[in-house]
Amino acid sequence: MPTLILVRHGRSTANTEGLLAGWTPGVALDERGAAQAAALPARIAGLPLSEIVTSPLQRCQETIRPLLDARPGLRAHTDERIGECHYGDWSGRKLAELKDEPLMEVVQSHPSAAAFPGGESMRAMQTRAAEAVREWNARVERDHGADAVYLMCSHGDIIKALVAEALGLHLDLFQRISVEPCSVTAIRYTRLRPFLVRLGDTGDFASLAPRQTSPDDQAPVGGGAGAP
């Protein structure tokens, strides 16, 4: 079965403003995010990609544009199932103010029970994304062979949920996973089981350096802004 390369979109204006973007329209890459996207083609130049699939949201479309320019033989397939979680009434709100919402404790410690007001549950988010991967795995293998490699550009919570699913982890543990903007995660699927072969690889170790302030013990909903 194929190898899936999961790329989180580059840093967005919502990331730097501390907003939970969700499906809010008009959320673009910021200057750093655009630079991350521009560097992506060189980072994965050695991978013979057979297909590119992307979330419909602008920040993902902008992230893969340089890759498509570098590989004119490929086109992007848009799949709404790997779009961001539908955060409903939380969309567009400041993460700092959401910290005090009672639901945030559920999101952090028991996400399988979390459903966003006016939006979807985190279980539904994981289910639709996993179904998309299974269907794309079958399609890519049928069209390109069992050793094919393909890429999906998606969002932090989606990628974390797919990693948890591949590892057989309960969704309640997915907040222990971290994927920074424009990071590369790779899952190799086989007949018996998936193998996680890369996780959140940015090629930059700045985020591992000691921080001036103590890091928040909460997982950043939506994925966070990455290294300062």
Side-chain angles (χ1 to χ4, degrees):
M1 296 178 68
T3 296
L4 170 60
I5 307 300
L6 288 161
V7 175
R8 185 184 168 201
H9 62 78
R11 196 175 74 175
S12 73
T13 53
N15 293 145
T16 49
E17 293 169 9
L19 299 176
L20 185 61
W23 285 70
T24 304
V27 177
L29 299 183
D30 68 5
E31 184 176 353
R32 180 173 178 179
Q36 291 170 333
L40 181 63
R43 288 172 58 201
I44 61 173
L47 295 178
L49 298 178
S50 59
E51 300 283 359
I52 295 177
V53 188
T54 181
S55 157
L57 295 175
Q58 180 178 338
R59 52 199 184 272
C60 287
Q61 302 277 339
E62 291 180 353
T63 298
I64 63 164
R65 192 168 297 149
L67 181 59
L68 293 171
D69 290 343
R71 303 198 188 198
L74 289 175
R75 68 180 183 89
H77 305 273
T78 298
D79 193 326
E80 291 197 357
R81 294 173 297 176
I82 62 167
E84 182 62 285
C85 185
H86 291 276
Y87 296 117
D89 297 344
W90 279 25
S91 299
R93 292 180 60 186
K94 287 274 189 183
L95 287 165
E97 69 181 41
L98 290 170
K99 288 178 65 175
D100 297 327
E101 292 279 355
L103 178 60
M104 182 59 85
E105 185 177 0
V106 182
V107 171
Q108 291 293 319
S109 61
H110 191 24
S112 66
F116 296 97
E120 70 179 333
S121 70
M122 301 199 93
R123 283 185 297 141
M125 173 199 74
Q126 183 186 44
T127 296
R128 63 172 164 85
E131 287 177 350
V133 167
R134 282 191 286 272
E135 289 184 18
W136 277 102
N137 280 350
R139 177 173 172 175
V140 168
E141 181 172 6
R142 181 197 68 205
D143 294 345
H144 303 283
D147 295 326
V149 180
Y150 74 107
L151 181 145
M152 281 186 169
C153 185
S154 188
H155 306 266
D157 281 349
I158 295 287
I159 294 172
K160 289 161 56 178
L162 289 171
V163 168
E165 199 262 351
L167 292 176
L169 294 177
H170 196 283
L171 185 60
D172 286 346
L173 300 178
F174 100 126
Q175 297 290 30
R176 302 183 183 195
I177 300 166
S178 175
V179 289
E180 293 202 357
C182 222
S183 62
V184 173
T185 294
I187 302 172
R188 180 172 295 128
Y189 290 88
T190 73
R191 185 174 61 84
L192 295 180
R193 64 183 65 85
F195 292 91
L196 179 66
V197 292
R198 290 289 189 281
L199 176 61
D201 190 341
T202 63
D204 178 1
F205 297 103
S207 64
L208 302 180
R211 304 284 180 90
Q212 294 297 318
T213 57
S214 298
D216 196 330
D217 64 357
Q218 288 197 335
V221 181

